[in-house]
């Protein structure tokens, strides 16, 4: 799409809006300098920011195990993964920047609680197997959510997602492989893997968001082709993918109601505890305070470093900084 | 310089003694990688999350290659006691603030860059690794030098912190130049090259080269002989506990 934003105010937004709508309908990409409705821009900033915040907060539960990784190979894999998450944060904050909102502003909103990150990271990583469960289930759910975003109508976000999804798939396979090693290992290792899956399964299903009937942003996002599938559709797809994988892992999923429904050609599964979801969202999860506290502390303790870099750049020009 | 009043730790009975040089170089890389890994999720800016992890990963890769020359990498990393580690005391020092970490990086990566440069040019079992690693370490050194400049010549606060970092770690730098047997290295040239490189960066950063001795009692060559500092034992306790809790398990 090539329609440039008008130079002066919104004299004829109706005309621009028609071009925008046609471009979205024709599956063309909207680019940063194209005209777009304010609400489209705001929706994207909110969604991309939440995604970026989730990447950087999501470093914490896994980084929790870097110093205790039980083999050097696993330690290298885990460090590389946590590093990738920082990298994803960087691309995503850059994508938000193309919409006119800078990283500093978004970090302020995260630190002050005005913007959210994925609630899944408010759960603790209690054992080494949690690193595998996060890779398999949490990254798996994230990929199920994110693959359709590679076709999102906003170009920079769609392109960032292509790269992110490739790396996330890699993480998911590593998580699965970690759990497989535990499942086939000693009795204690197997039990550790099962315990982790038991704790991460339901929160992973909650990652797809509230049921369609209660999802506040879905309809407009679908119309704008920011979002392509409903929460419940994606959740079902994820369950159907996980069931055979759990069987190959030799692990069970903690849902007595989980069974194949021949008629639907999909799995039925038990009711999700949405009270827990709402509680965690409201700040009452096991790690909400800890996660945001560490993020704020790192930011505050790093203030003098960022000030020094800025002062040095001002003295010597950006090229040397 | 040999002020440590103990002899080398006896090797475990009936085990062939691992190659001294591979352990010295491998443990330096392993331990520093671990310390840098502790920064994950705590760095002052997102770009440094990426950079510090990158350096940690390079070092871990080097450590794995080096330890494998001496034996099984995991047995060596996870099942040796503190007194059997051969790293210098410099690399085991806790991270402190970002300036402290950068001071440690400046001292160590300058050393490692020059050391690997010599090893890459010489013949011997370490030449292939050093030839590859010297390129990675050139980046680590560049990273440390740039941050030393920014912090030294940034704000009053960053200048003071950077100077404190350099001063606090200076006494661990002498050990870097204690000859390690089996290594084809000109140690006095290494020392001179290091001193002139570090001096140049420190001066450009408007900082002062520390004036105290580069060795204290019990630091001269101590780490290479298995004498470490107190925080190292706790670092190993954390690093080794899970592996040791499941004897014989594979991961």
């Amino acid at each position: 799409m090539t329609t440039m934003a008008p130079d002066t105010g919104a004299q004829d937004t109706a005309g621009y809006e028609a071009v925008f709508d046609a471009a979205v309908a024709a599956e063309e990409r909207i680019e940063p300098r194209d005209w777009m409705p304010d609400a489209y821009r705001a929706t994207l900033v909110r969604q991309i920011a939440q995604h970026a915040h989730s990447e950087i907060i999501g470093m914490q539960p896994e980084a929790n195990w870097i110093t205790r990784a039980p083999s050097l190979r696993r330690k290298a894999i885990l460090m590389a993964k946590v590093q990738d998450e920082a990298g994803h944060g960087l691309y995503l904050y850059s994508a938000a920047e193309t919409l006119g909102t800078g990283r500093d502003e978004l970090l302020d909103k995260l630190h002050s609680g005005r913007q959210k990150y994925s609630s899944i990271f408010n759960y603790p990583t209690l054992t080494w197997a949690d690193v595998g469960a996060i890779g398999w289930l949490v990254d798996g759910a994230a990929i199920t959510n994110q693959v359709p975003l590679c076709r999102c109508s906003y170009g920079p976000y769609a392109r960032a997602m292509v790269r992110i999804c490739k790396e996330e798939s890699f993480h998911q396979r590593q998580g699965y492989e970690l759990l497989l090693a535990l499942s086939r290992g000693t009795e204690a290792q197997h039990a550790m893997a099962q315990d982790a899956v038991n704790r991460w399964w339901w929160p992973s299903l909650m990652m797809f968001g509230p049921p369609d009937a209660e999802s506040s942003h879905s309809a407009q996002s679908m119309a704008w082709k920011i979002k392509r599938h409903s929460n419940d559709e994606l959740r079902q797809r994820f369950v159907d993918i996980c069931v055979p994988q759990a069987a190959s892992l030799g692990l069970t999923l903690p849902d007595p109601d989980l069974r194949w429904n021949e008629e639907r050609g999909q799995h039925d599964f038990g009711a999700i505890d949405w009270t827990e979801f709402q509680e965690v969202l409201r700040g009452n999860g096991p790690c909400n305070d800890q996660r945001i506290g560490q993020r704020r502390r790192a930011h505050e303790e790093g203030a003098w470093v960022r000030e020094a870099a800025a002062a040095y750049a001002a003295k010597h020009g950006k090229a040397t900084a | 310089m040999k002020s440590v009043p103990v002899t080398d730790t006896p090797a475990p009975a009936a085990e062939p003694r691992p190659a001294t040089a591979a352990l010295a170089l491998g443990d330096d890389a392993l331990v520093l990688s671990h310390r840098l890994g502790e920064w994950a999720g705590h760095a002052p800016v997102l770009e440094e999350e990426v950079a510090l992890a990158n350096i940690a990963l390079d070092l871990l890769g080097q450590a794995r290659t080096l330890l494998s020359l001496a034996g099984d990498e995991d047995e060596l990393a996870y099942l040796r006691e503190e007194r059997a580690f051969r790293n210098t005391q410099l690399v085991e020092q806790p991270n402190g603030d970002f300036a402290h970490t950068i001071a440690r990086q400046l001292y160590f990566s300058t050393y490692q860059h020059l050391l690997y440069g010599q090893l890459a040019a010489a013949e011997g079992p370490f030449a292939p690794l050093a030839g590859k690693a010297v390129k990675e370490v050139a980046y680590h050194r560049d990273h440390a030098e740039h941050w030393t400049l920014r912090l030294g010549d940034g704000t009053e606060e960053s200048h003071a912190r950077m100077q404190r970092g350099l001063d606090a770690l200076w006494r661990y730098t002498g050990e870097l130049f204690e000859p390690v047997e089996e290594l084809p290295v000109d140690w006095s040239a290494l020392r001179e090259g290091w001193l002139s490189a570090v001096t140049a960066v420190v001066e450009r950063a408007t900082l002062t080269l520390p004036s105290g001795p580069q060795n204290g009692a019990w630091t001269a060559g101590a780490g290479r002989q298995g004498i470490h500092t107190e925080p190292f034992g706790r670092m190993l306790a954390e690093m080794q506990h899970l592996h040791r809790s499941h004897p014989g398990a594979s991961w």
Side-chain angles (χ1 to χ4, degrees), chain A residues 56 59-60 63 65-76 79-80 82-83 86-87 89-90 93 103 128 178 181-182 186 188-189 192 294-295 298-299 302 304-309 311-312 315-316 320-321, chain B residues 30 33-34 37-38 40-47 49-51 53-54 56-57 60 64 67 73-74 77-78 97-99 146-147 149-151 153-155 157-158 161 204 238-239 241-243 246 249-251:
Chain A
I56 64 168
M59 295 170 70
Q60 291 182 31
W65 283 94
I66 287 178
T67 53
R68 293 176 288 172
S71 73
L72 297 185
R73 173 172 167 266
R74 292 288 177 200
K75 188 173 185 168
M79 276 208 278
V82 173
Q83 184 194 33
L90 280 174
Y93 285 120
R103 198 202 305 178
W128 169 251
L178 189 163
L182 294 180
T186 64
Q189 285 177 308
M192 193 193 283
Q294 179 178 325
R295 184 83 270 293
H299 193 73
W304 68 269
V305 176
R306 297 189 301 276
E307 283 158 18
Y312 183 86
K315 280 188 222 176
H316 298 276
T320 53
Chain B
L30 177 73
S33 167
H34 186 95
E38 293 173 351
H42 299 275
V45 58
L46 204 42
E47 284 80 355
E49 292 284 358
V50 177
N54 207 43
L57 277 166
L60 184 54
R64 295 180 66 191
L67 293 181
E73 60 175 37
D74 285 338
Y78 291 99
D97 65 8
F98 187 69
H146 275 95
W147 272 112
L149 292 175
R150 285 188 201 112
L151 298 181
D153 196 13
T155 63
E157 181 179 7
S158 69
R161 285 178 185 259
R204 253 185 85 200
E238 182 173 340
M239 182 174 107
H241 108 269
L242 177 59
H243 184 98
H246 297 263
S250 327
W251 300 94

Side-chain angles (χ1 to χ4, degrees), chain B residues 81-159:
Chain B
E81 298 291 329
E82 181 178 346
R83 293 275 285 102
F85 276 80
R86 292 291 175 266
N87 55 283
T88 57
Q89 293 185 350
L90 174 66
V91 295
E92 76 202 30
Q93 295 311 303
N95 288 335
D97 65 8
F98 187 69
H100 196 84
T101 289
I102 291 299
R104 193 183 59 200
Q105 285 303 109
L106 178 71
Y107 290 155
F108 186 76
S109 61
T110 306
Y111 157 79
Q112 205 190 22
H113 187 230
L114 297 171
L115 175 72
Y116 281 2
Q118 284 203 32
L119 290 175
E123 281 182 27
F126 298 105
L129 166 99
K132 177 171 171 277
V134 74
K135 295 175 203 138
E136 298 167 354
V137 177
Y139 162 76
H140 306 172
R141 181 176 168 183
D142 188 60
H143 173 264
E145 289 182 355
H146 275 95
W147 272 112
T148 303
L149 292 175
R150 285 188 201 112
L151 298 181
D153 196 13
T155 63
E156 208 173 305
E157 181 179 7
S158 69
H159 178 92

Side-chain angles (χ1 to χ4, degrees), chain A residues 106-139:
Chain A
L106 295 177
L107 285 176
D108 278 347
K109 286 184 174 162
L110 169 66
H111 298 153
S112 60
R114 281 173 295 157
Q115 283 182 342
K116 302 269 183 216
Y117 53 91
S118 176
S119 273
I120 192 76
F121 301 118
N122 291 318
Y123 290 86
T125 47
L126 301 180
T127 73
W128 169 251
D130 290 34
V131 171
I134 288 184
W136 178 45
L137 295 173
V138 175
D139 292 335

Side-chain angles (χ1 to χ4, degrees), chain A residues 3-13 16 33-35:
Chain A
T3 311
M4 304 293 279
D7 291 336
T8 54
Q11 316 143 333
D12 182 22
T13 52
Y16 287 113
R33 299 177 66 192
D34 293 338
W35 185 90

Side-chain angles (χ1 to χ4, degrees), chain A residues 136 176 183 197 201 241-253:
Chain A
W136 178 45
Y176 178 90
S183 181
V197 169
W201 173 248
I241 291 170
C242 286
V243 170
Q245 290 182 349
S248 313
L249 280 171
L251 298 171
T252 58
L253 296 171

Side-chain angles (χ1 to χ4, degrees), chain A residues 51 55 137-149 161 165 168 204 207-208 238:
Chain A
H51 189 171
E55 294 284 356
L137 295 173
V138 175
D139 292 335
I143 294 163
T144 309
N145 262 330
Q146 290 168 6
V147 164
L149 291 175
M161 290 317 301
C165 283
E168 294 291 356
S204 300
M207 284 176 71
F208 296 92
F238 178 68

